[in-house]
């Protein structure tokens, strides 16, 4: 029954997206009137989706999220992902986190050393305040983002995504480890440690 309702919801939502025009990619310079029309169309599409996203049926909410997240409209996708991360539905928060992590080209961490931690501040400053690694391959079935091989997931050079938690291990030179958890403010916060540091540096993964 739930599967049938999910399928029906997805079909209905797909029709909504198709009828309202999901793509707005244009190369010409837009007039003010065209931009206003685009804004109204985008807000109208989200208004049509809201009843599905707020459904009391978890399967319908999930179908609505998946349809909107894959709509091809970057602004609609960003809004739906942001709302899902802030949802009281843990399953929806997990789905949004996975969507964000497995669709990104890079792993970017905002380093926030504590006041008085000169070693941590120097480590962060050397990297411009950001720790960035390229993601080379994605293995969602293994909950893994590979930082090295494109054909396999090496645990020593990978990002793990499971539930509301994200872990990272990088052994390119010094060993760097990260542990993060999605909090109630929809921020992926935790810390980053290097075997040359006396203590871990508080940090936050940049999601958007």
């Amino acid at each position: 029954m739930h599967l049938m309702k999910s399928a029906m919801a997805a079909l209905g939502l797909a029709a909504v997206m198709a009828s309202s025009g999901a793509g707005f990619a244009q190369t010409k310079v837009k007039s003010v009137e065209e931009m206003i029309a685009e804004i109204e169309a985008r807000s109208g599409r989200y208004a049509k989706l809201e009843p599905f996203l707020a459904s009391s049926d978890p399967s319908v909410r999930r179908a609505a999220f998946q349809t909107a997240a894959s709509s091809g409209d970057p602004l609609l996708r960003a809004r739906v992902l942001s709302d899902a991360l802030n949802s009281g539905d843990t399953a929806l928060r997990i789905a949004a986190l996975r969507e964000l992590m497995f669709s990104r080209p890079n792993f970017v961490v905002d380093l926030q050393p504590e006041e008085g931690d000169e070693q941590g501040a120097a480590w962060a400053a050397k990297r411009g305040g950001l720790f960035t690694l390229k993601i080379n391959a994605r293995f969602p079935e293994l909950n893994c983002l590979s930082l090295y091989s494109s054909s396999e997931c090496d645990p020593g050079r990978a990002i793990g995504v499971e539930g509301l938690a994200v872990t990272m291990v990088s052994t390119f030179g010094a060993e760097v480890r990260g542990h993060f958890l999605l909090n109630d403010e929809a921020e992926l916060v935790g810390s980053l440690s290097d075997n040359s540091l006396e203590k871990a540096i508080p940090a936050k993964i940049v999601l958007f």
Side-chain angles (χ1 to χ4, degrees):
M1 183 66 177
H2 280 303
L3 289 174
M4 184 178 294
K5 291 177 74 174
S6 294
M8 291 176 65
L11 287 171
L13 286 162
V16 167
M17 300 302 293
S19 65
S20 54
F24 283 91
Q26 298 182 21
T27 55
K28 69 174 184 177
V29 176
K30 299 176 184 177
S31 67
V32 173
E33 289 76 14
E34 288 174 320
M35 288 189 286
I36 290 174
E38 181 175 326
I39 292 169
E40 290 176 343
R42 288 181 187 277
S43 60
R45 279 207 306 284
Y46 189 80
K48 291 178 182 179
L49 286 169
E50 279 187 304
F52 296 95
L53 293 166
S55 171
S56 59
D57 186 335
S59 62
V60 173
R61 291 198 299 270
R62 182 66 181 271
F65 166 78
Q66 291 174 334
T67 301
S70 60
S71 67
D73 183 331
L75 293 182
L76 177 62
R77 180 177 182 275
R79 179 168 180 179
V80 168
L81 285 169
S82 178
D83 286 352
L85 288 175
N86 285 283
S87 170
D89 182 340
T90 301
L92 204 56
R93 299 184 78 209
I94 291 172
L97 179 59
R98 288 184 66 84
E99 177 69 25
L100 281 166
M101 292 302 299
F102 280 95
S103 62
R104 63 200 310 109
N106 299 304
F107 177 74
V108 183
V109 179
D110 180 12
L111 302 168
Q112 303 172 339
E114 296 176 345
E115 186 176 351
D117 181 7
E118 295 182 2
Q119 187 185 40
W123 197 92
K126 185 178 179 180
R127 293 158 178 80
L130 296 174
F131 181 77
T132 304
L133 293 170
K134 181 183 177 182
I135 295 172
N136 287 318
R138 296 154 187 81
F139 302 94
E141 70 282 3
L142 300 175
N143 299 322
C144 174
L145 294 162
S146 174
L147 298 171
Y148 180 65
S149 173
S150 59
S151 59
E152 63 178 357
C153 189
D154 178 356
R157 296 176 176 179
I159 298 164
V161 183
E162 192 161 357
L164 298 175
V166 173
T167 57
M168 183 277 298
V169 180
S170 170
T171 54
F172 298 100
E175 181 176 289
V176 181
R177 292 180 176 270
H179 301 272
F180 305 87
L181 186 67
L182 190 69
N183 65 18
D184 292 339
E185 285 71 49
E187 296 178 321
L188 202 51
V189 297
S191 64
L192 207 65
S193 62
D194 180 318
N195 53 12
S196 68
L197 294 171
E198 294 180 4
K199 61 180 181 178
I201 300 174
K204 178 170 65 175
I205 293 177
V206 179
L207 289 174
F208 292 98

